[in-house]
Amino acid sequence: MKRFDVKRMGRLISEIAVLLAIYFVGCQIAAWLQVPIPGGVMGMILLLLAFALGWVKPATLQLGAGVLMAEMLLFFIPALMSLLDHGALVRDEGWRILLVIGVSTLLVMIVTAFTVEAVCRWKLRHEG
């Protein structure tokens, strides 16, 4: 491997390790507080807080996050394969499942948009 490739690979591994550490801390906080919020969501809240307070710059985790986003389909393959085992359920209740998926996706998009807007306004207010 070239020196640049080794350096890039080291950065990638360290960024993914940081993201995994934030995820595990979020899981521990969710378990400790005994709240019905998944550890991944708690980790995202921690990451958002770290970005908002300036402890971590988003560019420092961009490479690792980009790789994880590019390979996101791999995380959904087990869920998709389980649909093959439950064909009757999908046939009978498929429209309800699609309705829930559609509504929840729309809600996630709306909440994300409002959150980004609020953080941007908060950041502009505190910067200048």
Side-chain angles (χ1 to χ4, degrees), residues 72-89:
M72 189 178 266
L73 181 60
L74 292 176
F75 299 114
F76 292 105
I77 288 175
L80 293 174
M81 295 307 290
S82 69
L83 286 177
L84 297 176
D85 295 335
H86 303 288
L89 174 68

Side-chain angles (χ1 to χ4, degrees), residues 43-90:
M44 289 176 62
I45 291 169
L46 289 174
L47 187 60
L48 179 64
L49 185 65
F51 287 157
L53 295 175
W55 295 343
V56 178
K57 296 201 181 325
T60 59
L61 299 175
Q62 189 172 6
L63 182 62
V67 168
L68 291 175
M69 291 293 289
E71 303 302 329
M72 189 178 266
L73 181 60
L74 292 176
F75 299 114
F76 292 105
I77 288 175
L80 293 174
M81 295 307 290
S82 69
L83 286 177
L84 297 176
D85 295 335
H86 303 288
L89 174 68
V90 174

Side-chain angles (χ1 to χ4, degrees), residues 19-125:
L19 291 169
L20 283 173
I22 292 170
Y23 166 74
F24 286 128
V25 169
C27 288
Q28 291 301 313
I29 290 173
W32 180 64
L33 294 177
Q34 297 179 348
V35 292
I37 299 174
V41 174
M42 292 297 274
M44 289 176 62
I45 291 169
L46 289 174
L47 187 60
L48 179 64
L49 185 65
F51 287 157
L53 295 175
W55 295 343
V56 178
K57 296 201 181 325
T60 59
L61 299 175
Q62 189 172 6
L63 182 62
V67 168
L68 291 175
M69 291 293 289
E71 303 302 329
M72 189 178 266
L73 181 60
L74 292 176
F75 299 114
F76 292 105
I77 288 175
L80 293 174
M81 295 307 290
S82 69
L83 286 177
L84 297 176
D85 295 335
H86 303 288
L89 174 68
V90 174
R91 209 173 18 259
D92 297 338
E93 304 293 335
W95 70 273
R96 288 184 181 142
I97 295 169
L98 287 176
L99 180 66
V100 168
I101 290 171
V103 169
S104 62
T105 300
L106 183 62
L107 287 174
V108 166
M109 293 169 89
I110 290 170
V111 169
T112 301
F114 281 119
T115 302
V116 168
E117 182 70 24
V119 168
C120 287
R121 286 183 183 189
W122 179 82
K123 188 175 181 180
L124 286 174
R125 205 172 348 156

